[in-house]
Amino acid sequence: MRLINLKLLGMVYLSLALTLILALPVSAQQSVSQRLAEQLQSSAADQLNADLWLAQLQVNALTDELSADDVRLATRVEALSEPLNQLIIADTIRMSGNWQVLGQRQVSINEVSLSGAQLTVAYYATGQSNLHTLIEQIQEQAVRFQPASLASLASLDNAIDWQLQTLRFTDVTINLFDRGEPIASVHVPSLELNELNQGRSTEGQVDGLIFPIIEQLLRQWRQGQSSGADNIQIDGPALTRFLMREALAF
């Protein structure tokens, strides 16, 4: 009975929070959106060592989603030029998580969906890329947000729990670079990367991500060759050398 009452109490608090947000005037809702946008950008810089740009962030209290236009996420790898640090560029982004409780200091983001996107994976050495760098940062944040560590985070106003389970792309162009040289550029209708924070090593994480990406590249390449599509560019020998090198490295 006590458990049921706690659940009921939680639902009541959530309903009150949603009601308060929906009852806010437009100017107040805009201030909430602006605060969350600033929190996301500050968190990306401080926690992920990345630069995040968002335009027109919108808050949807009914679906637990945040959405924005004109999105860019750039890593800060010194070995890469600025264009190759531009890991993600997208027309729109939707983020799902736990942000809606009024007064909450730590926001959780567990799913990100992007459309009209470019995903640029740039390797600058064996087993090292801008994607590796981002995954390493996400892994570090997963450790910081373990229950035993939460007390030490109480003073971080802009801390965000980046417990990313799913990164989903729709209408995405995948660009693959190796040591500054382009290997592939292929447009695919959809790409879904899962289990981004499951505690594996960085190499294991990226291997789990890069091979679905490569699989999509090859599938689209084969389809493009049969259909004569002109939005697929792959340097076959360079891609083969890259895959052999990475496979032998681990």
Side-chain angles (χ1 to χ4, degrees), residues 163-217:
Q163 291 290 327
L164 287 178
Q165 299 289 338
T166 303
L167 183 59
R168 182 179 295 111
F169 294 89
T170 302
D171 183 28
V172 56
T173 297
I174 303 170
N175 302 311
L176 180 62
F177 286 79
D178 184 29
R179 298 176 182 179
E181 297 299 322
I183 295 179
S185 180
V186 175
H187 181 269
V188 299
S190 63
L191 174 68
E192 186 168 309
L193 307 176
N194 297 299
E195 300 181 349
L196 302 185
N197 64 337
Q198 296 304 302
R200 293 175 291 174
S201 65
T202 301
E203 291 80 6
Q205 285 276 26
V206 177
D207 287 347
L209 299 180
I210 195 66
F211 287 108
I213 293 173
I214 296 296
E215 183 181 2
Q216 280 280 30
L217 287 172

Side-chain angles (χ1 to χ4, degrees), residues 182-184 218 221 225 233-243:
I183 295 179
L218 295 176
W221 185 28
Q225 285 183 320
Q233 300 176 15
I234 293 183
D235 184 336
L239 179 60
T240 300
R241 290 193 298 271
F242 165 78
L243 291 175

Side-chain angles (χ1 to χ4, degrees), residues 6-231:
L6 288 175
K7 287 184 177 180
L8 179 61
L9 184 61
M11 293 177 64
V12 170
Y13 280 130
L14 178 59
S15 298
L16 287 173
L18 293 177
T19 301
L20 288 171
I21 290 177
L22 293 173
L24 290 173
V26 173
S27 59
Q29 292 185 38
Q30 289 175 340
S31 66
V32 170
S33 298
Q34 182 178 1
R35 179 183 65 81
L36 284 169
E38 293 172 353
Q39 187 172 0
L40 285 165
Q41 291 170 326
S42 177
S43 171
D46 297 338
Q47 295 174 247
L48 304 183
N49 194 29
D51 297 307
L52 175 66
W53 292 267
L54 299 167
Q56 299 178 352
L57 183 71
Q58 300 294 322
V59 176
N60 190 326
L62 296 178
T63 62
D64 296 347
E65 286 186 348
L66 308 174
S67 61
D69 300 324
D70 299 330
V71 182
R72 283 188 294 155
L73 177 65
T75 51
R76 299 171 176 175
V77 179
E78 293 184 0
L80 296 174
S81 64
E82 183 196 357
L84 296 186
N85 267 307
Q86 298 288 332
L87 180 64
I88 295 173
I89 301 175
D91 293 336
T92 61
I93 186 173
R94 288 187 295 108
M95 294 171 281
S96 301
N98 180 19
W99 57 267
Q100 76 276 23
V101 180
L102 294 179
Q104 179 169 296
R105 304 179 84 174
Q106 275 80 46
V107 175
S108 296
I109 301 295
N110 51 46
E111 182 173 312
V112 174
S113 299
L114 303 111
S115 61
Q118 287 192 60
L119 172 63
T120 299
V121 181
Y123 277 71
Y124 56 93
T126 300
Q128 297 181 10
S129 71
N130 54 355
L131 183 59
H132 283 78
T133 298
L134 182 67
I135 294 297
E136 285 176 354
Q137 295 298 322
I138 291 175
Q139 291 277 41
E140 289 182 9
Q141 299 314 308
V143 173
R144 291 181 66 194
F145 275 85
Q146 294 300 315
S149 305
L150 290 179
S152 64
L153 293 169
S155 62
L156 298 179
D157 291 336
N158 292 317
I160 290 181
D161 186 2
W162 294 94
Q163 291 290 327
L164 287 178
Q165 299 289 338
T166 303
L167 183 59
R168 182 179 295 111
F169 294 89
T170 302
D171 183 28
V172 56
T173 297
I174 303 170
N175 302 311
L176 180 62
F177 286 79
D178 184 29
R179 298 176 182 179
E181 297 299 322
I183 295 179
S185 180
V186 175
H187 181 269
V188 299
S190 63
L191 174 68
E192 186 168 309
L193 307 176
N194 297 299
E195 300 181 349
L196 302 185
N197 64 337
Q198 296 304 302
R200 293 175 291 174
S201 65
T202 301
E203 291 80 6
Q205 285 276 26
V206 177
D207 287 347
L209 299 180
I210 195 66
F211 287 108
I213 293 173
I214 296 296
E215 183 181 2
Q216 280 280 30
L217 287 172
L218 295 176
R219 181 183 299 117
Q220 292 298 116
W221 185 28
R222 289 191 294 268
Q223 293 177 357
Q225 285 183 320
S226 62
S227 64
D230 58 0
N231 59 348

